[in-house]
Amino acid sequence: MILDDIIYISLLCISVALGPVIRNVPNIFYRQLFSTIAGFIIVFIVSGSHIFHSFLVTFINALIIKFLKRKCHIVSSVFCFGYLAFFGSTHYFGLPIPPTHTNAIQMILTLKMVGLAFEIQGTRIDDKTKLLKNADLLKKYQKINPSFVDVFHYAFCIAGVLIGPYYKFRTYWDSLHLPYSSHVFANKFLKDRIRIVPLYVLLYLVGNYLYPLEVMKNIYEYGSEFWPTIREGIQSWNRTVQFWLATFVYKRLTLSKPAKICITMLVSAFWHGVHPGYYLCLCSAPLFLFVETEVEKAFKHSAPYFQQVIFD
């Protein structure tokens, strides 16, 4: 297991090292192709023959997007989350259990494929949209029309293919086709974030040796550990997944706020896996959030002003 982790972390480091190389490829076609091939190879090294799962999900979603555009978001959601449940239950069907790290790849791929379908459905220029003053801007900066091959490019793009973060297809497309990305000080951001990586790697290897871990996720470290409320802690943990859940689940529900929170947490639990602990933990979060909100209201209503200032 520790050897697998070392290989996995090495591949993460290789992915980071390849970033500047890919960014400096002048031709868009070759830059995109290089990124996809590199991502595919890395997934294959991690997953072996189990890369079939990622390939199949991408292929089916490409067909859904190609032939069922008006309802692609619904069909894609049902298929991807259904397949994710099957993927986490292969041992019940007498099939080989995929490597642990392949699970992270499949989870991120699910978000990307379902998110892509929602992007397509959400940016269709219908008659009402055409009447808006900013219709031209919406069409220019939000509308997407990926080809069958583009779906594979997006799925296996080396950026985040192993563990995330999640980013929209439009973000991926803009990084290739718009000139703005060339003005981003990528090296500065990379240096700022990479300083702490050796410590993460050491803690991950030591921790996984003593207490096997599933996967490292993108977080706001200080907030997840030291912010005082449950809500702030949730918002600091795995933030790109929080963005996906808020954008494609919570904000699209036309229900009461408590119902929206419960359904969003249920989707999050289902995305994480089929083990009961996920549902016990995540589906109890709405109750904790409700109690926390009511306690804050009661405290601010009855506590002296000085105590409220300290609390805030």
Side-chain angles (χ1 to χ4, degrees), residues 237-250:
W237 183 259
N238 210 0
R239 291 181 294 173
T240 57
V241 175
Q242 302 292 339
F243 168 80
W244 188 95
L245 290 168
T247 302
F248 300 120
V249 181
Y250 183 85

Side-chain angles (χ1 to χ4, degrees), residues 26 63 67 91-92 95 106 115 187 221 254 257 268 293:
L63 292 177
F67 297 106
H91 53 290
Y92 293 122
L95 298 174
Q106 203 68 21
N187 291 336
E221 300 88 345
T254 55
K257 186 174 181 179
S268 179
T293 301

